[in-house]
Amino acid sequence: MTAMGVAAVISFDTVGQIATGGGQAITWTAVIAVLFLVPYALLFAETGAAFPQEGGPYVWVKLAFGRFTAALTTLFYWVTNPIWLGGSLVFIAAETWDGFVFHLGEGTPADYTFKLLFIWAAILTAVVSLRRGKWITTAGAAAKLLALTFFTLTAVAYGMAHGFRGLSEAGAAPTTAGFLALVPVLLFAYVGFEAPNAAGEEMHDPQRDVPAALGRSAAIAAACYLLPVLALLSVVPPGKLTGIGGFMEGTKLVFTIYGDGAAAPLLTTTAVLFTFALLTQGSAWMIVSDRMQAMAAADGGFFSRKLGAFHPTLGTPVRTNLLSGAIATLFMLAAMRLADGDAAAVFGVVLTVAVTTLLLSYLSVIPALAVLRLRHTETPRPYQVPFGTRGFMICAALVYAWILIGSWAALFPGTLEQLLGIAYDFHATWGVSRLPFEAFTLGTVLALLLIGTIGHWAANIRAHVRR
């Protein structure tokens, strides 16, 4: 459970994205760790231990608000992951492989082949039984921690030899503009510790294990964002970092301390670990989110109950897994068409879509936790948030406020800045104008609402016909 949390939550692709915020990224990463991650972890530790049923957030929202709201929430939570896999993870993986392992080119047959293999390898990991698949994600978590640790230690050695000029030049003083730019990405980076509850019935003792595993995962995640981002900013000159290649750019620089003979093979090895970690990161989310969506379908909340069927031998929702793979593939193809050769611009927009749909799902999940706390007082709670109901509600209000800010900033970037009189160059930030950006993000949200509503309606019609 701890390894799955680490594999799912620590996002290699967002390390570079966070570091583009400059020195204040460290400040805001630490602030949000304390004011968001801690209360968030407390909420889900208590709820996950009290309601450990298979499906996790789907079950919680259904108990609080009914099947329709739960089905829509799960759709937003689930679709984030094929979008993210097909539009974000696969792009940074291909960029890394092309630059440090084997030349692929851009838009070439090799490029398409690599991206298709990456997507479907992640899906295959979700298709195999959890008994086997969990070891793949555990290996990915280990690779991730190894790469981050080795990079951070090397960056310290590089800084001792050449000086830590990057951070002093970047400046760590927090600003409102920096906060509004970073908050959606940081929230996206920190959410997901409830993910293992989607496979709650595979846990041996969830009431005992959920709080402990969540606490360990949260502490590891905070360290694995703060330290590598600090290391990146310490050694890479300001303005030289890009979201799509930030981590590997920093790695290439600091590995020069090993000399020409050792730097190249070490860089290649790190790039392979990096790519494998990205693959298993996508796999971890596929494992848990596909189970949630399958539970919604099996419960009559999304089109056909057949989508929720679990394979009798593998014990996995194969139909939902394959649907995720198809969506990821289509999104990758669409993103490449929209890119016009500019992978960095597409990366930012696609990541924003994924941030938006995931954060929007929490707008119903967090209130559901509060409702369960108030209505189901008879449910045993092996772990409780400090100060009882009052402490729980304070944590819920704080987390919800963060989610509201992050959702708005992701859907309508630049509007809060304009309200506060802060200059914001939209095209320079995103590489596209506001109209196509909003069409892409809002169009995705509206399409999901329509699909979710039709899916719930179709499921009800099927159930009525059977009767």
Side-chain angles (χ1 to χ4, degrees):
M1 289 170 59
T2 300
M4 183 173 286
V6 169
V9 174
I10 300 173
S11 304
F12 256 144
D13 57 324
T14 54
V15 169
Q17 195 81 353
I18 293 168
T20 58
Q24 62 180 304
I26 297 296
T27 304
W28 290 122
T29 301
V31 167
I32 294 178
V34 174
L35 297 181
F36 173 78
L37 179 60
V38 171
Y40 171 89
L42 292 173
L43 289 177
F44 285 99
E46 176 173 326
T47 306
F51 299 91
Q53 295 88 346
E54 186 95 6
Y58 173 75
V59 174
W60 306 336
V61 177
K62 180 187 173 184
L63 286 173
F65 303 125
R67 182 184 289 122
F68 177 61
T69 304
L72 285 179
T73 299
T74 302
L75 178 62
F76 273 76
Y77 191 101
W78 163 68
V79 81
T80 290
N81 298 293
I83 288 174
W84 182 46
L85 175 64
S88 174
L89 289 183
V90 74
F91 275 82
I92 193 169
E95 187 88 356
T96 301
W97 200 267
D98 178 70
F100 301 99
V101 181
F102 181 82
H103 180 64
L104 299 172
E106 189 173 322
T108 63
D111 186 30
Y112 277 95
T113 300
F114 177 90
K115 288 171 179 171
L116 288 170
L117 288 174
F118 183 92
I119 289 170
W120 287 98
I123 298 300
L124 181 62
T125 303
V127 168
V128 301
S129 66
L130 186 61
R131 182 167 56 88
R132 294 184 175 87
K134 68 181 180 181
W135 293 113
I136 300 174
T137 57
T138 299
K144 191 177 298 185
L145 293 177
L146 177 62
L148 288 172
T149 301
F150 189 59
F151 164 76
T152 303
L153 293 175
T154 304
V156 171
Y158 181 91
M160 292 175 67
H162 299 280
F164 296 97
R165 294 186 299 272
L167 194 58
S168 62
E169 294 175 15
T175 65
T176 305
F179 167 77
L180 293 174
L182 286 167
V183 66
V185 178
L186 284 169
L187 294 181
F188 178 75
Y190 278 139
V191 297
F193 291 108
E194 74 286 348
N197 272 97
E201 290 180 10
E202 277 82 2
M203 299 179 192
H204 296 301
D205 189 356
Q207 286 82 4
R208 183 198 67 186
D209 293 341
V210 165
L214 199 151
R216 287 191 294 267
S217 300
I220 293 171
C224 284
Y225 282 122
L226 278 168
L227 296 178
V229 169
L230 178 61
L232 270 174
L233 292 171
S234 296
V235 298
V236 180
K240 298 296 183 181
L241 284 170
T242 62
I244 194 167
F247 178 81
M248 289 306 300
E249 288 168 1
T251 301
K252 183 178 181 180
L253 174 63
V254 300
F255 276 17
T256 57
I257 69 167
Y258 296 117
D260 294 337
L266 282 173
L267 193 59
T268 300
T269 301
T270 302
V272 171
L273 286 175
F274 183 79
T275 304
F276 177 65
L278 289 174
L279 173 66
T280 55
Q281 187 175 320
S283 300
W285 277 101
M286 288 296 105
I287 288 171
V288 297
S289 65
D290 283 357
R291 283 172 177 270
M292 281 178 56
Q293 184 62 20
M295 289 298 295
D299 195 42
F302 189 70
F303 287 106
S304 171
R305 292 180 187 270
K306 292 180 180 179
L307 280 173
F310 280 65
H311 192 278
T313 303
L314 300 174
T316 54
V318 175
R319 291 190 178 97
T320 305
N321 296 147
L322 296 178
L323 179 60
S324 290
I327 293 172
T329 301
L330 290 173
F331 209 85
M332 179 270 290
L333 295 173
M336 290 189 72
R337 294 285 296 176
L338 290 169
D340 291 329
D342 190 354
V346 172
F347 175 80
V349 174
V350 168
L351 183 59
T352 297
V353 174
V355 168
T356 302
T357 53
L358 182 63
L359 292 183
L360 287 176
S361 71
Y362 288 96
L363 292 177
S364 55
V365 172
I366 302 302
L369 305 188
V371 169
L372 293 179
R373 188 65 166 83
L374 295 173
R375 289 184 185 172
H376 294 262
T377 54
E378 78 289 350
T379 301
R381 293 177 180 265
Y383 171 80
Q384 294 191 27
V385 173
F387 308 108
T389 301
R390 180 177 297 179
F392 192 99
M393 293 305 164
I394 291 172
C395 287
L398 191 57
V399 170
Y400 199 73
W402 282 109
I403 296 295
L404 280 174
I405 295 171
S407 298
W408 185 272
L411 271 176
F412 307 105
T415 55
L416 292 177
E417 286 86 348
Q418 186 178 12
L419 183 65
L420 296 171
I422 300 170
Y424 190 87
D425 189 332
F426 196 94
H427 194 279
T429 302
W430 296 103
V432 295
S433 62
R434 180 175 288 278
L435 184 61
F437 178 94
E438 297 294 2
F440 200 48
T441 54
L442 292 179
T444 299
V445 172
L446 292 174
L448 287 174
L449 287 172
L450 182 62
I451 291 170
T453 302
I454 293 173
H456 189 264
W457 174 78
N460 285 338
I461 292 295
R462 285 175 176 270
H464 182 73
V465 169
R466 286 194 188 96
R467 293 192 191 102

